[in-house]
Amino acid sequence: MASVDGEKVVSNKQVILRDYVSGFPKESDMYVTTGTVKLKVPQGSNALLVKNLYLSCDPYMCNLLRPTASTWVTYVAPFKPGSPIIGHGVAKVLDSAHPDFKKGDLVWGMTGWEEYSLITETDILFKIQHTDVPLSYYTGILGMPGMSAYAGFYEVCSPKKGEYVFISAASGAVGQLVGQFAKLLGCFVVGSAGSKEKVDLLKNKFGFDEAFNYKEEPDLDAALKRYFPEGIDIYFENVGGKTLDAVLLNMRIHGRIAACGMISQYNLDEPEGVKNLMTLIYKRVYMQGFVVSDYYHLYPKFLETVLPYIKEEKIVYLEDIAEGLESGPAALVGLFSGRNVGKRLVVVARE
Amino acid sequence: MASVDGEKVVSNKQVILRDYVSGFPKESDMYVTTGTVKLKVPQGSNALLVKNLYLSCDPYMCNLLRPTASTWVTYVAPFKPGSPIIGHGVAKVLDSAHPDFKKGDLVWGMTGWEEYSLITETDILFKIQHTDVPLSYYTGILGMPGMSAYAGFYEVCSPKKGEYVFISAASGAVGQLVGQFAKLLGCFVVGSAGSKEKVDLLKNKFGFDEAFNYKEEPDLDAALKRYFPEGIDIYFENVGGKTLDAVLLNMRIHGRIAACGMISQYNLDEPEGVKNLMTLIYKRVYMQGFVVSDYYHLYPKFLETVLPYIKEEKIVYLEDIAEGLESGPAALVGLFSGRNVGKRLVVVARE
């Protein structure tokens, strides 16, 4: 450990974006390097200096790797080539000039893919108040994906007991929770996923009524008709494209679609065309795209709901953990080929 | 006039569907024939016998000409080959066994394309209380299209003063009203239509801020960016396909799309694919398909709003009138090639 002006300077491993990505992201689009960092916030700033513990791999991040991101992504800053990847994470405050945070606080929110980050934007940064659950949960069930599931299901879908709910990418961080929320409410819940292992998890661990492997269904419309002979009241949309088109044919009157993501489309040069939008009219369906950051005012209410569910084991939660910052690029890229089983995160340090 | 069992029997001209239609409807898909009708409701029924005065030509009717209609249209009965076309119209009650209607009443609602109809389904049938406006208005501004504009704009779009509003098929029965409602609320309103004549009408008669001919715009995205440099808050969707795709690229954050119809898609063997649905998520846009029949409980409130607008000439209204039942098939088919200018209707009789 060196010292500059009497302040500690430590080495800082970082995952850097090499250049903007076109097509499918590869591990080599990022590289790991080591710089240095002063463990002190600049004088006169409003910043925090944090030690990153857990970093979250989330599907939306793929879009931020692209040069066009800044033209349409309005809710987070796009990545910059030559700079660390940015994402959601759990961190410990080492120094703070911000009135809401002090040394020793645990926080979750937007941080860098590096060992230590200077955080200057604190719009999406929450102090962790409950530490009687694994800290890593704040990258998932108790963090952004959990809030996405909660806001998307309860706020966007207006669900009612007994309704028919379909969830795509259902074993992912958001999908597994939406399904369990829906089951707790008394809905009939079916999920789709991309492997036998995931389908088994949905049925046997997460308590979905049914689940299927979309890769083994040549006719998605027929598959949905098999599982939903009465049609679908609520579709929680994570994938887009052909799945959305098939779902549209199976929506019930006054059905609701919460569009959380469209991961099947992120790496295509041109998105697939969706042809069955007329059913929105025939069936009086609404489709609402949403972004979790619009709902963070509900975070305290969310915790009141979900913390007891976790403690009483009414909700189960599955993590897919990659060890060490060096594993970050592979962990992130693997998300887009569906290699993760459960919520994927990277452990930088455990305390 | 003949007599059967002492009851009047009169000749009854009818527009009959020859057979289900595939592709673009043609005049020859229908034919006009003359039968007879007893001017008395059957004993023990709950029916009405009406004399039809004005019949409405509406875009949705095109879909009912198809054999597949019954599989997805849930809000009106599909047409039957060999039977008269069914649609909205204005009629006079000649005989009634229904407690809510009596001889001499003027009504609007679902009736047959014929001189006289026996109406047994009265779900969509309203007694006309205000006759100090032209009766034909109840096929348009004061009937189903008027209610569509009202419910779609005020109920679905949650409009606010100063918002940017785009309307496709803007000179049609619904579009011309939506634009005027939006102007009365203080919105900035742009419409698209398919001819110079219609564009002139939008700007000079209906008071739209701007209007353009979509057929003269090789790049709809560029056209929309020209008229909406700040983006679109509300899109009133009447056409679907390429227009919807271009609009999606121009929606503002928390924008709203009311999907009323998608006339550009009705006569295609396969609908066009819409590619830019990801913007629903990025921009947190709400897209709601709606059917006017879900909103008829608002009809009294609607009349309270719109009747004064008509009488005070705050709203102007343009009809495109075809004379005589024989002109019905051409009038209906012409709707799908955009030959109508304003609300198209067929006069069967004036009293």
Side-chain angles (χ1 to χ4, degrees), chain A residues 175-348:
Chain A
Q176 59 173 271
L177 291 173
V178 174
Q180 292 181 87
F181 288 149
K183 282 305 300 174
L184 284 165
L185 188 67
C187 297
F188 175 80
V189 182
V190 180
S192 64
S195 73
K196 185 179 179 309
E197 182 187 7
K198 292 177 182 178
V199 167
D200 287 346
L201 273 173
L202 290 172
K203 290 200 280 195
N204 303 323
K205 187 172 169 76
F206 298 129
F208 282 50
D209 293 290
E210 293 286 352
F212 65 88
N213 181 350
Y214 71 90
K215 292 178 182 167
E216 290 182 351
E217 297 289 348
D219 182 341
L220 284 170
D221 177 33
L224 290 170
K225 285 189 167 51
R226 202 163 69 231
Y227 291 109
F228 294 101
E230 307 284 327
I232 297 167
D233 292 300
I234 290 176
Y235 173 46
F236 199 96
E237 163 69 304
N238 289 313
V239 304
K242 290 182 184 65
T243 302
L244 175 57
D245 235 351
V247 167
L248 284 168
L249 295 175
N250 288 281
M251 291 302 291
R252 299 183 89 189
I253 290 174
H254 296 134
R256 287 135 273 153
I257 299 175
C260 179
M262 297 190 176
I263 196 171
S264 75
Q265 305 299 296
Y266 295 165
N267 296 310
L268 302 179
D269 287 338
E270 188 168 26
E272 293 175 293
V274 172
K275 296 181 177 173
N276 298 317
L277 291 169
M278 266 303 293
T279 56
L280 294 181
I281 302 176
Y282 302 141
K283 300 293 176 68
R284 297 92 118 179
V285 169
Y286 79 71
M287 181 164 174
Q288 164 86 62
F290 75 99
V291 167
V292 63
S293 52
D294 289 342
Y295 296 89
Y296 279 141
H297 60 284
L298 300 175
Y299 188 63
K301 195 177 152 203
F302 159 80
L303 283 182
E304 268 174 47
T305 306
V306 177
L307 277 170
Y309 282 160
I310 295 174
K311 289 174 190 169
E312 295 161 19
E313 294 183 6
K314 286 188 177 163
I315 280 188
V316 294
Y317 177 59
L318 187 67
E319 295 182 317
D320 178 329
I321 296 177
E323 290 289 339
L325 203 51
E326 295 81 356
S327 67
L332 183 60
V333 167
L335 201 65
F336 307 113
S337 51
R339 261 178 273 157
N340 59 307
V341 178
K343 167 62 196 167
R344 179 159 279 190
L345 63 110
V346 176
V347 183
V348 186

Side-chain angles (χ1 to χ4, degrees), chain B residues 11-126:
Chain B
S11 71
N12 190 20
K13 211 179 289 176
Q14 300 181 306
V15 177
I16 306 288
L17 176 64
R18 193 181 301 275
D19 200 356
Y20 284 126
V21 175
S22 64
F24 208 89
K26 305 176 297 298
E27 266 187 73
S28 59
D29 292 323
M30 292 158 268
Y31 63 92
V32 178
T33 185
T34 301
T36 59
V37 62
K38 259 200 284 191
L39 294 184
K40 206 85 187 136
V41 297
Q43 276 198 325
S45 79
N46 208 24
L48 293 86
L49 196 291
V50 303
K51 179 182 183 187
N52 292 309
L53 304 178
Y54 302 97
L55 297 173
S56 181
C57 299
D58 293 301
Y60 80 87
M61 297 169 74
C62 176
N63 291 318
L64 303 180
L65 297 168
R66 306 195 184 286
T68 49
S70 61
T71 62
W72 39 257
V73 174
T74 53
Y75 43 96
V76 285
F79 299 157
K80 287 194 203 87
S83 294
I85 302 287
I86 299 163
H88 290 77
V90 172
K92 190 176 188 171
V93 178
L94 300 185
D95 188 27
S96 171
H98 193 290
D100 296 346
F101 302 96
K102 63 176 197 302
K103 183 175 169 178
D105 280 351
L106 290 162
V107 295
W108 75 267
M110 296 303 283
T111 189
W113 277 41
E114 54 194 341
E115 289 176 287
Y116 301 94
S117 293
L118 183 73
I119 298 179
T120 55
E121 298 282 339
T122 53
D123 286 353
I124 302 178
L125 200 69
F126 298 83

Side-chain angles (χ1 to χ4, degrees), chain A residues 73-110:
Chain A
V73 175
T74 51
Y75 44 96
V76 284
F79 300 157
K80 288 195 203 86
S83 294
I85 303 288
I86 298 163
H88 290 77
V90 173
K92 190 176 189 172
V93 178
L94 299 186
D95 188 28
S96 172
H98 193 288
D100 296 346
F101 302 95
K102 64 176 193 304
K103 184 176 171 178
D105 280 350
L106 291 163
V107 294
W108 75 266
M110 297 305 283

